[in-house]
Amino acid sequence: MTTIAVLGSGTVARTLAGRLTDGGREVVVGSRDPRRAAERWAGSGVRLTGLAEAADSGALVVNALPGPVSVEVLGGLAAQLAGKVLVDVANATDSDARGFASGLRYPGGSLAEEIQRALPDVRVVKTLNTVHEAVMADPTGLATPPTAFLSGDDAEAKKAVGGLLGELGWPADWIIDLGGVESARAPEAFVLMVGGLVGALGPVSFGLSVAR
């Protein structure tokens, strides 16, 4: 079975890796500081290693790194990522005093486009950045069905990512293909609403949904 690499070792990485491991997938998590992250991942059943080794071992790679550092860090892994599908679930923003997004790092563009530009040999697909981390791996837990969007230039890569979403619990009719990688601009901008939504709803899990 295809090994999946998750780059980043924070809460998003743990949520995704846990669901995939429970489903029988072999998952390798890459950390910028694996020695420091080792205690948090003890007993998880997931192999924790450095970023380069993880990227090299996974046929499909998930970018769960912090958005502001993603382009720089992934650019240093070009050799390991060449030819692979990179699933970008991050948002690159500036933050206000509360830690919520106050502005986009790439206005007029998107993080997904910047990653694709930096890694032309990689097939970048944007998804899952419009839902809370808990919803990424448990979409049926919300009262209203959320929507997962796909943005990317490679049709086969998006098909592979659609399959991955299925393993994470997403029904096919909850997934919308928006088109090329430039279409990631709109869903990435949703993060600017999160601070206001948390203020209105409280600290609950939620995600963007298209009513139809």
Side-chain angles (χ1 to χ4, degrees), residues 78 81-84 113-124:
L81 294 172
K84 297 183 178 181
E113 289 172 273
E114 291 297 320
I115 294 173
Q116 186 64 86
R117 189 174 295 114
L119 298 168
D121 295 329
V122 176
R123 296 176 289 167
V124 177

Side-chain angles (χ1 to χ4, degrees), residues 8-9 18 20 22 29-30 39 53 59 71 74 81 89 104 110 122 139 142 146 149 156 158 168 180 189 198 209:
S9 55
L20 292 169
D22 289 345
V29 170
E39 185 175 347
E53 184 178 344
V71 174
L74 294 173
L81 294 172
V89 303
L104 301 175
S110 66
V122 176
L142 296 182
F149 302 98
E156 287 300 313
K158 285 191 283 189
L168 291 170
V198 171
S209 178

